[in-house]
Amino acid sequence: GFDSMFVKVVKNRAYFKRFQVRFRRRREGKTDYYQRRRMINQKKNKYNTPKYRLVVRRSNTNIICQVVSSTINGDLIKAQAQSSELKKYGLSAGLTNYSAAYATGLLCSRRLLTIIDKDNKALEGWESISKRFNLVPETTGEYIDIEKVSETKDIGRPFVCFLDVGLSRTTSGARVFAAMKGAVDGGVHIPHSDSIFPKPKQTKVEKGKKKADEKAGSATNFFRERLFGVHIQKYMDLLAKDKDAYNKQFSKWDKTLKDAKVKTPEELYKKIFSEIRKNPEKAAAKKKEQKKVQKDSKDKNITTNGKHKYRRDIKLTNKDRKQRVAEKINKFVEERKKAASKKK
């Protein structure tokens, strides 16, 4: 008790006067500025050349991929794709799974290269970058280094991005890496290693050696199955015995497969990947027609918009207000006169 009398108060008035709050997005827990600073810093000998990042974010219902460059005025988005757009290609269930993440990354990169083609079409001697870098015409799950392949084939330098995972955990087999793999297969160079992709489980064997399960097959085949949603089909087959549990889990999947006229998720994803490669462009947004807003003939405050009626009070002018007061007074006087005549 005696010692505590002489403890110095550290967080006093002087401390709080000098306290500097952190950036807003740090306070909200949205941005890792330690990571961001290292990602956006460009080498000085590259002057004003934009440094692009493939930003991958996942919500409960959606996966978003964006190709972003940073400027002093803010971030600029070159191209973007969302897994909700996959509905156009026939996928309306499982929009946040591993295969959907891959498809979104693929869509984003193919769309980016078509945008670059449009921007540079007028340049003399321009060869389509989307055609030159269509190096993976069909998804196989095999590792590819776009930069090395472009050097050996002598097709020019690729578009380079760096993966921005944000605050998500970078565990091997994470969905952010599926989106990255989709972007790489689409023809964008992103430095990475294949150790981050899903692999078959390892089992302990005698003498401390490890050997992959024979059933799981090679790592590449296992990864390909994951990209094509074979794991979904396995779980569907597992739950097929219990109808209630199956319907609860896979009723939307059944409808999706029926609408696409396929039997398995693998066939569906194969169809979607090929459709994305054929046409990655975003459909033009439909303009909403504005219905005529009409005022009610009896009451100006009542507005009709198509079928709907609602009240929107109009501000009265000084003249209208005075007239309204005069009308109220006249009405009151008349009512008093009527009441007086009845008493007589």
Side-chain angles (χ1 to χ4, degrees):
F2 180 76
D3 294 341
S4 63
M5 289 167 65
F6 300 102
V7 173
K8 187 181 178 184
V9 178
V10 179
K11 292 191 177 177
N12 52 16
R13 187 182 176 125
Y15 167 84
F16 285 111
K17 277 175 83 173
R18 287 162 179 77
F19 182 77
Q20 188 174 1
V21 294
R22 294 186 184 275
F23 291 156
R24 178 179 57 82
R25 285 184 66 86
R26 170 63 192 89
R27 296 199 305 273
E28 291 171 354
K30 288 180 178 177
T31 300
D32 177 358
Y33 279 98
Y34 182 89
Q35 180 196 64
R36 179 180 165 83
R37 193 163 70 242
R38 282 155 181 76
M39 289 211 78
I40 67 173
N41 278 1
Q42 180 65 292
K43 290 175 182 177
K44 295 295 175 202
N45 64 354
K46 292 187 178 178
Y47 301 98
N48 205 25
T49 307
K51 187 178 183 181
Y52 289 101
R53 321 192 304 279
L54 177 75
V55 179
V56 182
R57 298 290 181 270
R58 181 177 64 86
S59 71
N60 283 344
T61 55
N62 211 4
I63 286 170
I64 303 157
C65 293
Q66 295 177 333
V67 177
V68 183
S69 62
S70 295
T71 67
I72 202 157
N73 295 323
D75 285 8
L76 302 175
I77 296 170
K78 185 78 174 169
Q80 81 142 356
Q82 296 187 29
S83 61
S84 56
E85 290 178 59
L86 299 175
K87 289 174 185 176
K88 183 179 88 170
Y89 299 102
L91 184 73
S92 54
L95 295 175
T96 54
N97 64 23
Y98 201 85
S99 312
Y102 173 85
T104 310
L106 181 67
L107 178 61
C108 185
S109 67
R110 294 309 299 165
R111 186 174 285 172
L112 168 74
L113 298 182
T114 52
I115 287 168
I116 293 168
D117 276 341
K118 280 182 181 178
D119 293 346
N120 298 294
K121 193 167 58 174
L123 292 174
E124 196 178 331
W126 175 260
E127 285 181 43
S128 173
I129 192 170
S130 60
K131 285 178 183 174
R132 277 185 290 144
F133 285 90
N134 190 14
L135 301 172
V136 186
E138 200 173 317
T139 303
T140 58
E142 289 176 10
Y143 178 77
I144 182 170
D145 188 334
I146 298 289
E147 198 171 43
K148 280 185 180 177
V149 174
S150 62
E151 273 179 33
T152 53
K153 289 192 173 184
D154 194 25
I155 53 173
R157 286 182 296 178
F159 187 96
V160 180
C161 274
F162 300 94
L163 180 65
D164 183 335
V165 296
L167 301 175
S168 59
R169 291 289 182 93
T170 53
T171 52
S172 58
R175 280 171 275 190
V176 286
F177 299 128
M180 183 205 68
K181 176 62 177 166
V184 170
D185 282 1
V188 174
H189 176 63
I190 302 170
H192 70 284
S193 158
D194 62 343
S195 62
I196 51 170
F197 299 131
K199 285 174 186 155
K201 283 184 180 179
Q202 304 279 307
T203 53
K204 286 185 180 179
V205 187
E206 289 177 17
K207 297 178 183 178
K209 289 181 182 178
K210 285 189 173 181
K211 187 182 176 184
D213 287 343
E214 287 175 16
K215 286 181 184 177
S218 66
T220 307
N221 188 43
F222 182 84
F223 182 39
R224 187 198 169 281
E225 285 182 354
R226 183 52 61 103
L227 291 175
F228 279 96
V230 175
H231 58 294
I232 301 166
Q233 185 60 50
K234 283 178 182 175
Y235 194 49
M236 285 172 94
D237 294 340
L238 188 73
L239 282 187
K241 295 167 188 174
D242 187 351
K243 280 190 177 180
D244 292 336
Y246 181 87
N247 290 333
K248 194 178 179 183
Q249 191 87 19
F250 292 113
S251 57
K252 279 188 180 178
W253 262 108
D254 275 352
K255 189 178 182 300
T256 304
L257 294 173
K258 200 176 278 182
D259 292 345
K261 296 174 183 176
V262 290
K263 290 181 179 178
T264 61
E266 187 175 359
E267 289 173 39
L268 177 65
Y269 283 120
K270 203 170 187 179
K271 196 176 174 183
I272 289 165
F273 298 157
S274 65
E275 285 296 320
I276 287 170
R277 287 184 171 95
K278 280 178 195 171
N279 179 26
E281 290 182 40
K282 192 173 184 180
K286 289 180 183 177
K287 285 187 178 179
K288 288 185 178 179
E289 288 182 20
Q290 184 65 45
K291 290 174 183 174
K292 276 192 176 182
V293 178
Q294 293 177 329
K295 302 286 180 189
D296 199 303
S297 57
K298 292 178 182 178
D299 190 352
K300 286 181 182 179
N301 297 320
I302 303 296
T303 308
T304 52
N305 185 355
K307 294 178 182 178
H308 304 286
K309 268 191 179 185
Y310 49 88
R311 187 178 181 84
R312 291 286 180 271
D313 289 329
I314 297 167
K315 192 176 181 182
L316 299 173
T317 61
N318 187 27
K319 189 181 175 183
D320 290 341
R321 282 203 302 276
K322 283 180 178 177
Q323 191 183 337
R324 190 164 161 239
V325 171
E327 282 173 5
K328 281 185 177 180
I329 291 167
N330 290 337
K331 191 181 177 184
F332 178 71
V333 169
E334 282 176 15
E335 282 176 0
R336 288 293 298 268
K337 281 180 182 177
K338 281 182 182 178
S341 62
K342 279 182 182 179
K343 283 181 181 179
K344 287 176 183 180

